[in-house]
Amino acid sequence: MNSGFKHILLILSIALISAHGIIAQETELANTKLQAAYYKDQNNLERITAKLLIKSERYEPFANAEVHFYSVKDTTKTLLKTIVTDEKGEATYILEPDAKASSDSTGQVVFAVEYDGNPTSESASKEIMVTPAALKVTFFQEDTTKFISIEAFETGGGDTPIPITETEIGVFVKRTFSYLNIAKEATNTEGKLIVPFPVDMPGDSIGVLTIVAKIEDHDLYGNVEAWGTINWARPVPIADEARRGLGDTDAPLWMVYTLIVLLSAVWFHYAYVIFLIIKIKLAKHHI
Amino acid sequence: MKLDPKSARSLEFFTAQMVRISRPGMIGLAVMLLVVFGGIYALAVQVIDGHIVTGMRDNVVWGIYIANFIFFIGISYAGALISGILHLLRVPWRAPIIRIAEMITVISTMIGPSYILLCMGRLDRLHHLALYGRIQSPILWDVLAISTYLTGSIIFLYLASIRDLAALRTYPFKSKWRIWLYKFLSVDFNGNAAQNQYLDRALTIMSAIIIPLAILVHSVLAWIFGMTLRPGWHSTIFAPYFVIAAVFSGTGVLIIAMWVFRKVYHLESYITKIHFNYLGIILMILGALYAYFTFSEYLTSWYGSETWEMEVLYKLFDTNEYWWWFFFAAILGVVLPIAVILFPRFRTINSITAVSVIAVLALWVKRYLIIIPTLETPLLPLQDMRPEYIHYKVTPVEWMLTFAGIAMFCLLFFLFSKFLPIVNVVKVTEDRSYGALRQIVADRIIKREVKAFKLKERQKFAH
């Protein structure tokens, strides 16, 4: 074998190794991760929110990907809906009555969320098992003290609700832009939680407050929410609309007066000067 | 009105120029008319096709028209402040130049607001401004202030012209309308003590009023910008900054006008080097003040590092965007006039006029830079927009209307100079203070000659 042939072989080998590396890089799929949570509110509106993430340097939202929502009963999977993720990588499925009914023999409802993957990213899936639960917010008064009563119970076990005991419930007051936490305590053996009503808290013009109770990110129940309203808070009269003036239809009086004074001063002098011009004309016979 | 022989000679000199148009004058007049007609054509195109023929769009809603408006209102300061202050202070050298200054004020205050009308859509609703105008709006303040200012400026110019009108009334002009008009406007002024007293009182009142009024007009104009929460505009020093910029450009235009009329009408014995020197020094001081305001304005914006302010600043300092314009408007246009006028050796009539031209052009560019880069920096980021919606470009229609405004300014000046002497003839020849000024000049010349003679003698002695 002469040296020229050796060189060609060497170059070809390097090229082959490099090409293999490139191909290997090209076929490497990006990791994906699927998160899912179950939410239920007082109106029995149930939804599953899935979030799909893709790893580049770190996990980032994976937008415009199709996510399938399944209802799982025993080993049978029924496709409920396919939803495309938004720019936050999120897809929300609001449960239809058929899906709600499909609880298994243990009373649990099982859902699966799946992403099939594509030529550049891996597939991902997540299963959620939820025991249907509900919260009830009521109010009562003993002597002069006012209380909020929250009852938590499972709803999937037939006609008789089963109390949810020793489970942490957050109590919030609904404010304009967020929920104000006023208590976070566990339910008693009867599935009840009683907290004092925040009577000093400002409500609306007749003292109405909305009290929200929440079970958050619970392994068994997911996210459950209920609320109640009552006029026990401090009434806050509606403030008179602050008339800023500049954006109003009527100008502030100081502005009107200033303008009138300034313009009158100037135009009065103009008028006086014109009067002087008339006097010049009249004084033509003076010496 | 009876004139002394000196005044009569001066009047003869000016009336001869008023009734005659020289060949270069005819050419100039033709050019001005041509440009004005070009502007009328451009206006017709804009009215028929709408504002789409301009560079203004949803985002950049103000363009070169508003820059022209501020510029013309700015140069109107020449008459208001220069002639007002000089009159109040009884400055001896004012007489030959105040007529030019007052004319600049009236003409530019007439032309400037017309650019607002060009900028507006739906002119058919113009009367709504009077019917439904809101006093809270700085735009309405501007309308009130400018109309009051224009009225005041016309009265001021008229008062300062009564003596000349009275003198012209007796001059044997060929055209009867001219004599009738002079007779009507001169209100039978014959120069008696009572009439002089009334006229002087009226002039003093007007010169005192016109100064705060001029300051107010430009402050209001600045507040239209300053009260808007836009980067590059929302500034507390905008009102005094605008006022200083306006006086700076007004003085520059006054110097240029003086140079032109001195050349065209051969007014060398009326408008002397000393006028250029004094106005040049005023220009230099105003230039320094303007530089101070400019530095203060941009330093505070930059130091604050507010996101949108920085966006505008980056545009001004970016060589691919506005840097060279900014360099001309804020640096060259200020440093050059100061540098030239600062040293007496460079202070000639031509050099002072040349730097005035630079200063005036710089101030026009400055007005452009106040408006456009800010409007090209919206407070909300624009996405998926066509480039012309974000970047403003002056269209031929806008250029034609801009040049038509300048031509109209020159044309009205020309027509005014054919109706009234460009120099306050009676005042110049009658004014004892002006005689005193001529004495000062003569004394200086003698002093300089004596100095040169002494130097020569010394050199001779040394030999």
Side-chain angles (χ1 to χ4, degrees):
Chain A
M1 218 185 282
N2 60 30
S3 63
F5 190 67
K6 272 184 195 169
H7 281 125
I8 290 166
L9 266 183
L10 187 67
I11 290 163
L12 275 175
S13 311
I14 292 166
L16 268 174
I17 292 162
S18 310
H20 180 262
I22 291 162
I23 291 161
Q25 272 176 4
E26 277 178 358
T27 52
E28 199 172 298
L29 296 175
N31 285 338
T32 55
K33 192 158 74 174
L34 199 55
Q35 297 167 340
Y38 164 88
Y39 295 88
K40 182 184 178 186
D41 70 12
Q42 178 161 278
N43 299 327
N44 277 333
L45 187 75
E46 293 169 71
R47 61 190 162 90
I48 297 165
T49 298
K51 183 162 187 164
L52 184 62
L53 300 165
I54 186 161
K55 192 173 185 182
S56 49
E57 283 180 8
R58 55 194 166 85
Y59 279 105
E60 284 170 359
F62 190 0
N64 300 319
E66 282 189 348
V67 173
H68 311 292
F69 291 83
Y70 295 97
S71 163
V72 184
K73 194 169 184 183
D74 302 325
T75 52
T76 317
K77 273 203 314 190
T78 312
L79 179 67
L80 298 170
K81 201 162 187 178
T82 299
I83 297 173
V84 177
T85 54
D86 60 16
E87 72 275 10
K88 290 178 191 166
E90 287 180 356
T92 299
Y93 169 64
I94 296 169
L95 267 68
E96 287 156 18
D98 297 349
K100 287 182 191 178
S102 58
S103 55
D104 64 10
S105 52
T106 60
Q108 280 195 318
V109 185
V110 184
F111 301 100
V113 188
E114 288 181 6
Y115 165 63
D116 292 340
N118 65 18
T120 56
S121 60
E122 285 177 345
S123 62
S125 65
K126 175 85 180 172
E127 201 171 76
I128 317 169
M129 296 172 75
V130 181
T131 301
L135 292 172
K136 191 178 171 189
V137 179
T138 53
F139 305 94
F140 68 95
Q141 186 172 354
E142 275 185 8
D143 300 327
T144 55
T145 317
K146 292 163 178 170
F147 295 95
I148 305 163
S149 167
I150 296 145
E151 288 175 68
F153 46 87
E154 292 177 5
T155 55
D159 295 336
T160 323
I162 303 158
I164 300 172
T165 58
E166 302 301 325
T167 301
E168 198 170 67
I169 293 176
V171 186
F172 303 84
V173 176
K174 194 178 177 190
R175 309 309 290 173
T176 308
F177 299 108
S178 62
Y179 292 107
L180 175 68
N181 184 231
I182 53 169
K184 196 160 198 176
E185 290 174 37
T187 51
N188 61 15
T189 50
E190 293 171 352
K192 275 191 177 178
L193 170 67
I194 292 168
V195 290
F197 188 90
V199 285
D200 291 335
M201 192 158 289
D204 65 5
S205 58
I206 53 166
V208 172
L209 269 193
T210 300
I211 303 291
V212 182
K214 284 183 180 183
I215 297 175
E216 290 176 306
D217 289 332
H218 197 275
D219 294 340
L220 220 52
Y221 308 113
N223 297 278
V224 185
E225 186 179 307
W227 58 84
T229 53
I230 196 159
N231 60 339
W232 284 353
R234 183 161 56 85
V236 177
I238 297 168
D240 290 336
E241 195 183 334
R243 298 194 66 162
R244 189 165 168 263
L246 290 177
D248 217 320
T249 47
D250 303 324
L253 282 177
W254 66 263
M255 192 176 276
V256 177
Y257 295 146
T258 309
L259 205 73
I260 288 170
V261 167
L262 280 176
L263 282 175
S264 309
V266 175
W267 283 91
F268 167 76
H269 281 92
Y270 288 178
Y272 180 63
V273 166
I274 288 164
F275 170 70
L276 284 175
I277 292 170
I278 294 166
K279 281 186 92 174
I280 289 172
K281 194 168 176 67
L282 294 175
K284 64 179 173 181
H285 297 304
H286 286 225
I287 301 161
Chain B
M1 192 171 137
K2 206 173 176 187
L3 293 173
D4 61 273
K6 211 172 164 190
S7 297
R9 269 202 308 278
S10 284
L11 195 70
E12 186 74 37
F13 173 75
F14 281 101
T15 45
Q17 288 175 341
M18 282 161 62
V19 291
R20 187 191 66 216
I21 301 177
S22 62
R23 187 181 285 265
M26 288 293 269
I27 296 167
L29 187 65
V31 171
M32 282 182 265
L33 281 171
L34 198 71
V35 179
V36 169
F37 283 125
I40 293 169
Y41 168 73
L43 179 63
V45 170
Q46 185 177 305
V47 170
I48 293 164
D49 294 345
H51 276 63
I52 195 73
V53 296
T54 70
M56 294 181 284
R57 293 292 181 270
D58 290 20
N59 190 38
V60 184
V61 290
W62 286 350
I64 197 172
Y65 292 155
I66 299 293
N68 293 338
F69 163 63
I70 306 171
F71 176 75
F72 275 110
I73 295 294
I75 61 173
S76 74
Y77 262 50
L81 282 188
I82 304 284
S83 94
I85 291 172
L86 296 187
H87 182 91
L88 271 186
L89 298 177
R90 305 279 188 267
V91 175
W93 48 271
R94 74 184 191 279
I97 61 165
I98 50 172
R99 172 75 44 79
I100 301 175
E102 285 153 7
M103 280 184 177
I104 291 173
T105 302
V106 172
I107 298 168
S108 57
T109 314
M110 286 195 295
I111 292 176
S114 61
Y115 280 104
I116 295 283
L117 304 181
L118 294 177
C119 190
M120 284 168 69
R122 297 304 304 264
L123 276 178
D124 54 311
R125 292 181 181 173
L126 192 63
H127 61 286
H128 286 203
L129 199 66
L131 294 177
Y132 312 113
R134 292 169 67 247
I135 293 174
Q136 305 94 301
S137 165
I139 301 276
L140 195 73
W141 304 348
D142 212 23
V143 172
L144 290 170
I146 289 175
S147 50
T148 307
Y149 178 51
L150 179 61
T151 312
S153 305
I154 292 170
I155 294 174
F156 193 35
L157 174 63
Y158 170 61
L159 287 174
S161 309
I162 283 181
R163 285 191 174 93
D164 279 2
L165 289 165
L168 288 164
R169 181 182 63 196
T170 53
Y171 190 81
F173 285 107
K174 279 182 188 168
S175 52
K176 281 181 183 166
W177 68 267
R178 200 187 261 269
I179 296 168
W180 179 85
L181 208 59
Y182 289 139
K183 226 174 213 176
F184 174 74
L185 291 173
S186 62
V187 285
D188 293 329
F189 185 86
N190 54 29
N192 67 44
Q195 285 184 324
N196 271 322
Q197 192 193 341
Y198 294 142
L199 184 57
D200 286 340
R201 194 188 300 166
L203 270 167
T204 306
I205 290 170
M206 285 312 297
S207 56
I209 279 196
I210 211 80
I211 298 165
L213 199 57
I215 292 172
L216 199 66
V217 167
H218 232 64
S219 299
V220 166
L221 195 56
W223 290 334
I224 292 178
F225 294 93
M227 289 179 183
T228 314
L229 298 173
R230 298 291 299 244
W233 289 359
H234 190 54
S235 163
T236 51
I237 65 162
F238 242 42
Y241 188 22
F242 264 53
V243 170
I244 291 296
V247 196
F248 186 40
S249 60
T251 311
V253 170
L254 178 58
I255 291 172
I256 298 165
M258 277 162 50
W259 187 88
V260 172
F261 282 111
R262 191 174 183 267
K263 281 271 172 220
V264 175
Y265 288 159
H266 307 289
L267 305 178
E268 286 81 1
S269 58
Y270 292 91
I271 302 171
T272 60
K273 193 189 169 189
I274 208 154
H275 293 105
F276 283 90
N277 269 357
Y278 285 159
L279 279 178
I281 290 165
I282 292 176
L283 187 81
M284 182 184 72
I285 295 165
L286 289 167
L289 275 170
Y290 171 71
Y292 162 70
F293 270 102
T294 305
F295 182 72
S296 177
E297 170 69 11
Y298 289 111
L299 177 75
T300 44
S301 296
W302 169 78
Y303 202 86
S305 301
E306 202 272 320
T307 314
W308 297 113
E309 287 282 351
M310 292 307 280
E311 282 266 329
V312 177
L313 279 183
Y314 285 142
K315 280 180 186 169
L316 292 177
F317 285 84
D318 187 346
T319 48
N320 294 320
E321 296 217 39
Y322 292 106
W323 163 246
W324 293 111
W325 291 109
F326 181 76
F327 174 75
F328 176 65
I331 299 167
L332 197 70
V334 184
V335 172
L336 213 58
I338 293 174
V340 168
I341 298 165
L342 189 65
F343 302 102
R345 130 186 345 207
F346 299 141
R347 242 182 260 157
T348 64
I349 291 176
N350 287 339
S351 69
I352 291 171
T353 310
V355 292
S356 298
V357 171
I358 292 169
V360 169
L361 287 175
L363 264 288
W364 184 88
V365 173
K366 172 66 184 167
R367 270 65 178 248
Y368 186 88
L369 290 179
I370 287 174
I371 297 160
I372 311 304
T374 289
L375 289 175
E376 286 182 347
T377 314
L379 290 170
L380 287 173
L382 289 172
Q383 287 173 343
D384 305 326
M385 275 282 196
R386 280 187 277 169
E388 69 264 28
Y389 275 64
I390 300 167
H391 300 292
Y392 173 76
K393 205 176 163 194
V394 187
T395 62
V397 166
E398 288 172 298
W399 277 127
M400 281 169 84
L401 281 163
T402 299
F403 288 121
I406 297 165
M408 195 68 188
F409 178 82
C410 300
L411 188 66
L412 286 176
F413 228 124
F414 179 79
L415 294 177
F416 261 116
S417 73
K418 293 294 164 197
F419 181 71
L420 265 177
I422 205 74
V423 166
N424 207 334
V425 178
V426 177
K427 200 75 187 155
V428 163
T429 45
E430 274 183 359
D431 211 333
R432 256 181 283 155
S433 51
Y434 184 64
L437 172 76
R438 296 186 78 86
Q439 191 59 50
I440 293 168
V441 177
D443 287 350
R444 277 192 186 177
I445 294 167
I446 291 166
K447 244 185 214 173
R448 203 185 303 149
E449 279 175 3
V450 167
K451 206 175 167 187
F453 176 75
K454 276 183 182 171
L455 192 75
K456 224 182 217 175
E457 285 294 306
R458 216 175 291 155
Q459 281 169 349
K460 210 189 266 178
F461 182 73
H463 275 296

